[in-house]
Amino acid sequence: MPQRKPPPPPTPQPTRANNDAKTQQEQKFDADRIAALLDKRTPQRNAAADQQVSQTAALGSPNGAAQTLTQSEIDALRARIQSCWGPPAGASEASDLRATIVVSFKQDGSLAMQPQLSGVTPASSPYGPAFADSALRAIIRCAPYTFLPANKYAVWKEIEMGFSLKDMLGRAH
């Protein structure tokens, strides 16, 4: 006589405890938490992406509200230097020239040191050296810059200025 196989064990029926555990796991799923874990951007990039603003202080300012010069203050500085600047003869032939100069100030608005030429573009222009020298002379000639706001000294203590015919004379040649 053939032997009979034993009947298969009964499949366990889900119990109420198992169902409750699954429900709790499903309730714990939070898409925002998953997204936050996957988001590798820095807090500053989150703020730029129109999400929650970062509460981290920036640029040494204790409340994150970094000071800047207003457009009026920048325009006053530009107008002052423009009044002292005379582009070299022949510079109108090189309207694409740009000189970048780093200027360090004392708190009273006087120059802390001689302005430093950072660069001239295009470097191959024959007018470059004369153009840069004229910009350096203008910065020195116009000093001191007493109109700069003392309460924003940390902002204007050192400024990188760009000189071009278009920016300083308000027109392209």
Side-chain angles (χ1 to χ4, degrees), residues 23-34:
T23 305
Q24 285 178 351
Q25 284 179 341
E26 288 172 4
Q27 288 175 351
K28 287 184 181 180
F29 176 78
D30 184 358
D32 290 335
R33 287 184 61 206
I34 300 297

Side-chain angles (χ1 to χ4, degrees), residues 145-167:
Y145 299 88
T146 55
F147 60 88
L148 292 171
N151 63 333
K152 294 183 181 179
Y153 175 65
V155 176
W156 55 265
K157 181 178 183 177
E158 185 171 275
I159 297 178
E160 185 175 88
M161 297 182 184
F163 282 79
S164 71
L165 292 176
K166 180 180 177 187
D167 292 343

Side-chain angles (χ1 to χ4, degrees), residues 14 31 57 103 109 126 129 139 168:
V103 184
I139 293 169
M168 296 306 286

Side-chain angles (χ1 to χ4, degrees), residues 8-170:
T11 49
Q13 295 295 325
T15 62
R16 183 165 170 79
N18 285 347
N19 283 340
D20 288 343
K22 276 188 176 181
T23 305
Q24 285 178 351
Q25 284 179 341
E26 288 172 4
Q27 288 175 351
K28 287 184 181 180
F29 176 78
D30 184 358
D32 290 335
R33 287 184 61 206
I34 300 297
L37 290 172
L38 295 174
D39 190 0
K40 299 297 182 193
R41 295 178 293 180
T42 61
Q44 291 83 4
R45 290 198 39 107
N46 281 339
D50 198 27
Q51 295 177 5
Q52 184 178 357
V53 176
S54 172
Q55 297 301 315
T56 306
L59 297 175
S61 179
N63 61 6
Q67 286 188 325
T68 60
L69 292 176
T70 65
Q71 189 62 47
S72 296
E73 292 162 342
I74 293 168
D75 289 344
L77 181 60
R78 178 178 287 136
R80 174 71 176 266
I81 294 172
Q82 186 178 6
S83 71
C84 297
W85 187 50
S92 62
E93 301 295 322
S95 62
D96 59 339
L97 271 176
R98 181 165 185 81
T100 305
I101 299 172
V102 177
V103 184
S104 297
F105 296 97
K106 293 180 184 175
Q107 201 156 6
D108 64 359
S110 63
L111 299 176
M113 57 190 286
Q114 290 293 319
Q116 301 297 309
L117 178 64
S118 178
V120 177
T121 54
S124 61
S125 173
Y127 298 106
F131 187 83
D133 285 344
S134 71
L136 289 165
R137 281 193 308 275
I139 293 169
I140 294 167
R141 189 178 304 136
C142 280
Y145 299 88
T146 55
F147 60 88
L148 292 171
N151 63 333
K152 294 183 181 179
Y153 175 65
V155 176
W156 55 265
K157 181 178 183 177
E158 185 171 275
I159 297 178
E160 185 175 88
M161 297 182 184
F163 282 79
S164 71
L165 292 176
K166 180 180 177 187
D167 292 343
M168 296 306 286
L169 300 180

